[in-house]
Amino acid sequence: MEGYNPFSLDGKVVLVTGAAGGIGRATAIECSKLGAHLILTDINEEGLKVTLEQLENQEAHRYIIANLTADEEIDKLVGEIDKLDGFVSNAGVTKPAPVKFVNRTDLERIMSINAMAPMYLTQRLLRKKKFWKNSSIVFTVSIGGVYTTVFGNAMYGSSKGALQVFMKNVALESAMNGIRCNSVNPGMINTGLVKSGTYSEEDRQKDMQTYPMKRYGEPREVALGIVYLLSDASSFVTGHSLIIDGGKTLY
Amino acid sequence: MIMELKDFIENFSAQFDDTDASEIKAGTEFKELDEWSSLIALSVIAMVDEEYEVILKGEDIRNSATVEDLFNVVKAKV
């Protein structure tokens, strides 16, 4: 059975957003090791270069800088893409604040990056027929907002809830075209988003104890779930949410 | 921006619902208050962002014992 690998992404062209760091970068690295040809995008060029340097088979990949909250930049990105076998939407931001402090500036920024940007990009890619049959879309959602409710998470949670619902609608409407759509729903993962500072190290240590596995996850542990959903190993899986949370939602 | 301790105490106290504002003074060790919670900590961080345009970190709250300690942290960042 030498060479048998149902998780192979050999020759698949995969677009990854939010590829300058965190789960996006880890996803790009794992996909490259499994033979994918990557198109990386982010607003942060320095981060994209660092990601690109870490990929296997470097000449097979490229990056496109884009601010996905701007329609013209989405159009430009879509225009530079020929056909895709996979699309992974990762870009995300957060700003914890209690409901009493929800405000237009923060809410619109969070909604726009976490929910509306992936919705518009997906819409454009589908409308412009950029997917081969037998292709796969994966949204990085979260357990937050969808399966867990915590203090200060109203804005982020609402954005992820919106994306989760959108994912199912894409799955339903694209199934007959051979395009699958799923999400990964991570618990806390050690990325810049988690280390951003509103919570102290002590808060984080305490929070980790609420995870049955007593730790936060690593970006690669989410990336490998994304690999499964991109690969032909999940060829009959659509509209599914893969929870990757060290058991957090068991409680 | 000239930042007054008196106003800061008022803004700080407004994050509490069951604690009378008269109980909260410059020297109050706020984490000892019965009503203090992680939600109020988040509210204080959000209030400081809104009123003073200063982004506090969780560590800033952790390292401050009294209301005046926190005032000084905010003042240094304004």
Side-chain angles (χ1 to χ4, degrees):
Chain A
M1 297 296 278
E2 202 181 325
Y4 175 71
N5 181 4
F7 302 93
S8 168
L9 301 176
D10 199 26
K12 287 185 189 285
V13 178
V14 179
L15 170 67
V16 180
T17 75
I23 294 169
R25 173 177 292 162
T27 299
I29 293 169
E30 294 305 318
C31 287
S32 76
K33 288 179 175 172
L34 287 158
H37 297 190
L38 294 156
I39 303 167
L40 310 176
T41 184
D42 203 292
I43 199 167
N44 169 4
E45 184 174 16
E46 287 310 303
L48 284 173
K49 284 182 181 165
V50 174
T51 302
L52 194 60
E53 281 166 14
Q54 296 180 43
L55 302 184
E56 291 288 322
N57 194 13
Q58 286 194 13
E59 61 283 6
H61 318 294
R62 63 186 169 123
Y63 69 77
I64 301 168
I65 302 155
N67 172 2
L68 300 179
T69 63
D71 282 347
E72 59 279 11
E73 297 205 24
I74 291 183
D75 286 336
K76 187 168 160 286
L77 173 66
V78 172
E80 289 183 38
I81 291 167
D82 183 19
K83 281 267 194 179
L84 294 173
D85 300 281
F87 164 40
V88 184
S89 171
N90 276 293
V93 294
T94 187
K95 183 172 177 183
V99 171
K100 285 178 188 172
F101 286 90
V102 168
N103 62 84
R104 192 169 293 278
T105 305
D106 290 332
L107 182 59
E108 287 188 355
R109 174 169 175 271
I110 291 169
M111 283 291 180
S112 148
I113 295 171
N114 293 7
M116 291 166 72
M119 288 178 187
Y120 287 132
L121 180 51
T122 304
Q123 177 268 323
R124 299 283 212 293
L125 289 168
L126 287 168
R127 182 78 174 263
K128 298 285 182 187
K129 303 186 192 301
K130 296 291 184 179
F131 291 103
W132 294 107
K133 275 204 182 287
N134 191 29
S135 57
S136 168
I137 300 170
V138 184
F139 293 115
T140 298
V141 179
S142 176
I143 59 168
V146 181
Y147 303 106
T148 65
T149 306
V150 297
F151 287 145
N153 212 27
M155 294 190 282
Y156 178 84
S158 301
S159 73
K160 292 298 190 176
L163 192 55
Q164 172 93 348
V165 171
F166 183 72
M167 176 278 286
K168 292 189 184 190
N169 284 271
V170 174
L172 182 66
E173 294 186 15
S174 303
M176 66 287 263
N177 297 322
I179 302 165
R180 299 180 295 109
C181 184
N182 296 283
S183 67
V184 288
N185 296 60
M188 291 293 250
I189 304 297
N190 292 313
T191 66
L193 199 68
V194 168
K195 292 173 184 161
S196 60
T198 304
Y199 300 100
S200 69
E201 184 53 34
E202 191 189 19
D203 292 335
R204 274 195 293 274
Q205 290 299 332
K206 213 190 280 176
D207 189 50
M208 278 178 209
Q209 297 308 309
T210 69
Y211 283 68
M213 293 182 75
K214 306 294 182 199
R215 65 175 178 88
Y216 286 170
E218 294 302 325
R220 180 171 180 269
E221 295 177 302
V222 179
L224 291 172
I226 293 172
V227 162
Y228 161 67
L229 292 170
L230 285 172
S231 74
D232 295 342
S234 61
S235 56
F236 201 46
V237 179
T238 195
H240 180 66
S241 295
L242 178 56
I243 295 175
I244 303 175
D245 70 347
K248 170 76 177 179
T249 49
L250 289 170
Y251 287 129
Chain B
M1 184 200 298
I2 297 168
M3 212 186 134
E4 298 287 349
L5 178 58
K6 184 175 77 61
D7 298 336
F8 183 79
I9 296 171
E10 204 172 294
N11 290 331
F12 185 92
S13 304
Q15 306 319 313
F16 293 78
D17 288 310
D18 298 331
T19 309
D20 196 87
S22 66
E23 280 183 55
I24 300 175
K25 302 187 171 67
T28 301
E29 294 192 3
F30 57 86
K31 279 172 272 183
E32 304 304 317
L33 293 167
D34 284 346
E35 202 189 338
W36 179 254
S37 68
S38 58
L39 181 58
I40 292 186
L42 283 172
S43 299
V44 169
I45 291 173
M47 176 278 287
V48 168
D49 180 15
E50 198 175 278
E51 295 288 335
Y52 304 99
E53 292 175 12
V54 167
I55 306 293
L56 284 180
K57 290 180 180 294
E59 305 291 349
D60 295 323
I61 302 272
R62 200 173 100 77
N63 296 333
S64 302
T66 66
V67 179
E68 190 168 8
D69 291 343
L70 192 62
F71 168 78
N72 288 326
V73 171
V74 177
K75 199 174 173 187
K77 293 187 183 195
V78 169

